[in-house]
Structures are given as C-alpha cells and as structure tokens.
Amino acid sequence: MLLIRMKFLQLLFRKSEKLEVLFQPRFYQKQFPYVCLATSACLYSKKKKVNSYEQVDQEKYKSLVCSVTSYKASAQTPETIFEEDGLLYGQPLKHTPSDKAETKTPKNWVPLINPEKRIPLVNGDSNRPMKIALQKTKTPSVTRVLQQTIPPQQAFYLERWKQKMILELGKDGFAEYTKNLFLQGELFHAALESIFLPEEMASKEQGEDSAVSGYLSSVQHVLKDISEVKALESAVQHENLQYQGLVDCVAKYRGQLCVIDWKTSEKPKPFLQNTFDNPLQVAAYIGAINHDANYDFQVGCGLIVVAYKDGCPAHPHFMDPDLCSQYWKKWLLRFEEYMDRN
C-alpha cells in the first residue's frame, strides 16, 4: 500500500515538471513561433489601414482645433445663449393681448351691487321661493344680447361644430338633435324645481323622467350643499339698464347666496373657461336681481353646475364676488355693443 502511494506521487511530480517546461517562454517560442496566446485576436501580418483624417490639411484647421480643445467644458452661459439667439433670430417680441375688450371700460358704468337698495331686516316667507313669470316685451333678454354679440372666434368654432354635425346627421337629423337637447334641458330644470319646491307647491304629476335620470344622478353631490332657495325659474329685470332674463335658481351654496345656472353637457367641462359665455350670463342675472325691486335681497356670488347625462359627477364652478365683478364688466361691454348695433 505504501509503495502504491509513492509511485503515484512520483508520477504527479513528473507531470508538474512537464507542465512547467511547457509554459516556459523559450519552450513555446520554439514550438509555436508564429502563434501567441491573446484574449482579443491572433497576431498576423496585415497592411496598415490608411486614416482618412491624415489627409486633411491640419494647418488650415489648426486654429479651430485649438479653440475647441482649449476648453475642458462648454463656456456657454445663459447670457451668451440669449446673445446667440438674438443674432440668429432677432430680439423676441413682447406679448400683447389680442382681446381689445380687456382694456376697454364701459361708457355707462353701473355697479354690480346696488348701493341704494334697502334690505329688510326680516324677510318674507322664506319657505316659498319666488317664481315670477317672464313677460314678452321689447326689452332685450340676456340670451339675445349674448347671441348677437358673440366674439368672432367663438362664432367660428360654433359654426364649425354645427357644420360637422350636419354632415354626420343631415339637416333634419341635426334639427331633431337640437330639439332633443332643449327638451332634455327643460325636463332637467323641471325635475330640479320639483326637488326644491315644498311638497304643497310641487306638481303632483312631476316624476323622474328616464331621459334626465343621469343628469339628476350627476348633481346629487352638489344638491347636498344647496340650501335656503329664494327663487326658481323666476324673471328678473335690470331697472336702470333695461334688460331682462329668466334665472334658474337663487339659493345658498355652502353658505354663500348665489345665482345658480344649471347646464347639461355631453362633454366634460372641468374648467370655468369651458363654459364660454355662461359666466357673463350669471353676472348679468346677478346685476338684474340687485337692481330689481321685486327682490328684497342682493346676490354677490354665482354658481355654474355642468351636469352629465351618463351620471358622472357634475362640475360645479363657483364664482366669488371678485370674479363676478370681472364678468360684470365684460357683460356691460357686450350690452353696450348690442345697444350700439340696435
């Protein structure tokens, strides 16, 4: 057993000596004179490739190369970039507002809040909202004034939408479509009126129509914040400016007395500017109420509620006194434009 182990160690020692000899430089250079172990590639004799950059006239571009390589980082600053843009494109033009009406002021200024109106300390029967019928007279309505003084850009988009709908539905189909829209609006307003009116004043025949059930579901979260309804579908007239209109609702929204305008829409309108001339309409109604002797209160805020047929939560757009004053000025300008044309 001992002899077997000794022979095994001798064989192992002899093999290690052979491996050392094999990897010695002199040995593998003699055995393999043209091959060298390398990790990248074998070394063969090849012709040197000609570099195209060596043919460039380096003296000609010497100054350019020196200017580029002399900086380790870009020497540009915001000031130099603006100077470079000024040389290439010229000085930037200052923005000027395109809407000239913003700089105009109404010739006949009437305040939104009536300073001469006296508010009684004790109001009448607050449980019965006011409901004054609209009389057909020659007095211009708020809707007519806004329609006849619509801005050109807004009129362009409205006409383009109309022509697009006519192409899809035809003239008769478009007429039927608009008729259904007005009918749904009337049913929606009637349904809201039945909700706000006391039980003894509400129509017994009025029920929830399937055509407006989605709209009613849409405004449920808004109705929770409405209280103390003072007027419903009631006519208003500005005694000084002589225009009239039919206000949807006057009530408190989260504690603030507002003129509330209910709108229906097929498209989402999450921002106030999406409602086009509706803020001007609300401001006109606020001014009319404040200058109408039939109403023993004044309003300073507005609310536009956009309801959706599919039941999605409505978008309430609250207008505080400052915002109402801004749109009141715009309304006065539109009203003056209408009076000048007529």
Side-chain angles (χ1 to χ4, degrees):
M1 189 69 179
L2 182 60
L3 292 174
I4 294 172
R5 290 182 178 178
M6 290 178 66
K7 289 181 179 182
F8 176 77
L9 292 173
Q10 288 176 359
L11 291 173
L12 184 62
F13 180 77
R14 289 176 183 176
K15 288 183 178 181
S16 62
E17 287 181 348
K18 290 180 180 180
L19 290 173
E20 290 178 1
V21 173
L22 179 64
F23 287 100
Q24 287 180 0
R26 293 180 180 179
F27 179 79
Y28 63 71
Q29 286 178 357
K30 291 180 180 180
Q31 296 295 328
F32 309 100
Y34 300 106
V35 180
C36 179
L37 295 176
T39 58
S40 59
C42 297
L43 299 178
Y44 294 99
S45 61
K46 290 185 179 181
K47 293 183 179 181
K48 186 178 180 181
K49 290 184 178 180
V50 178
N51 191 347
S52 58
Y53 291 102
E54 293 179 355
Q55 300 177 0
V56 178
D57 189 356
Q58 296 183 6
E59 291 295 329
K60 183 178 180 180
Y61 299 103
K62 183 177 180 180
S63 60
L64 176 62
V65 173
C66 290
S67 63
V68 173
T69 57
S70 60
Y71 294 97
K72 294 183 179 180
S74 176
Q76 282 189 319
T77 62
E79 290 76 15
T80 59
I81 293 175
F82 283 128
E83 290 178 3
E84 183 179 341
D85 289 345
L87 293 173
L88 293 174
Y89 309 109
Q91 294 299 322
L93 298 175
K94 293 184 179 181
H95 173 72
T96 55
S98 58
D99 189 5
K100 296 181 180 179
E102 294 294 332
T103 59
K104 291 183 179 180
T105 56
K107 299 175 184 178
N108 183 21
W109 176 259
V110 178
L112 180 62
I113 303 298
N114 188 356
E116 299 178 359
K117 193 171 189 178
R118 296 181 179 180
I119 309 299
L121 298 176
V122 180
N123 293 332
D125 188 3
S126 60
N127 194 35
R128 292 180 176 272
M130 296 185 65
K131 188 175 176 64
I132 302 175
L134 182 65
Q135 303 296 327
K136 292 184 179 181
T137 62
K138 294 183 179 180
T139 305
S141 66
V142 174
T143 303
R144 186 194 307 172
V145 172
L146 292 176
Q147 286 178 348
Q148 295 191 14
T149 60
I150 185 172
Q153 185 178 10
Q154 189 174 332
F156 168 77
Y157 287 119
L158 183 62
E159 182 63 23
R160 189 175 69 173
W161 170 81
K162 179 181 176 181
Q163 295 302 325
K164 179 182 177 182
M165 296 298 293
I166 290 176
L167 287 175
E168 294 179 0
L169 305 175
K171 289 186 177 180
D172 295 338
F174 179 71
E176 186 69 21
Y177 171 77
T178 53
K179 180 181 177 182
N180 290 333
L181 284 181
F182 284 117
L183 179 60
Q184 289 179 9
E186 291 178 357
L187 292 174
F188 178 51
H189 282 74
L192 290 171
E193 184 178 350
S194 65
I195 293 174
F196 292 129
L197 284 175
E199 294 182 1
E200 63 273 11
M201 296 181 63
S203 175
K204 296 180 179 180
E205 297 179 358
Q206 180 66 41
E208 183 175 323
D209 196 303
S210 59
V212 297
S213 59
Y215 294 124
L216 293 175
S217 299
S218 179
V219 298
Q220 286 303 313
H221 68 290
V222 181
L223 297 179
K224 296 178 182 178
D225 294 325
I226 294 178
S227 61
E228 298 184 28
V229 179
K230 292 184 174 294
L232 285 172
E233 298 292 331
S234 188
V236 295
Q237 181 170 340
H238 199 293
E239 296 174 352
N240 296 344
L241 297 176
Q242 290 298 307
Y243 69 83
Q244 64 179 358
L246 190 68
V247 65
D248 289 348
C249 178
V250 179
K252 284 188 176 181
Y253 174 73
R254 296 180 177 177
Q256 298 286 334
L257 189 62
C258 300
V259 165
I260 303 176
D261 199 22
W262 306 99
K263 298 296 181 183
T264 59
S265 176
E266 294 181 349
K267 294 182 179 180
K269 294 184 178 180
F271 304 106
L272 184 64
Q273 55 264 31
N274 299 137
T275 61
F276 301 105
D277 282 343
N278 294 149
L280 278 74
Q281 184 180 17
V282 170
Y285 289 154
I286 293 175
I289 289 176
N290 295 340
H291 291 81
D292 191 334
N294 292 318
Y295 299 90
D296 58 355
F297 54 84
Q298 295 207 72
V299 184
C301 301
L303 179 68
I304 300 173
V305 183
V306 185
Y308 304 109
K309 188 176 182 179
D310 58 1
C312 290
H315 283 114
H317 301 293
F318 178 73
M319 298 168 58
D320 60 20
D322 291 337
L323 195 57
C324 289
S325 297
Q326 295 177 24
Y327 282 104
W328 172 249
K329 176 183 175 182
K330 294 180 179 180
W331 159 253
L332 290 178
L333 291 171
R334 294 279 288 271
F335 183 70
E336 286 183 356
E337 181 183 349
Y338 172 84
M339 296 302 292
D340 291 342
R341 291 183 181 181
N342 295 272

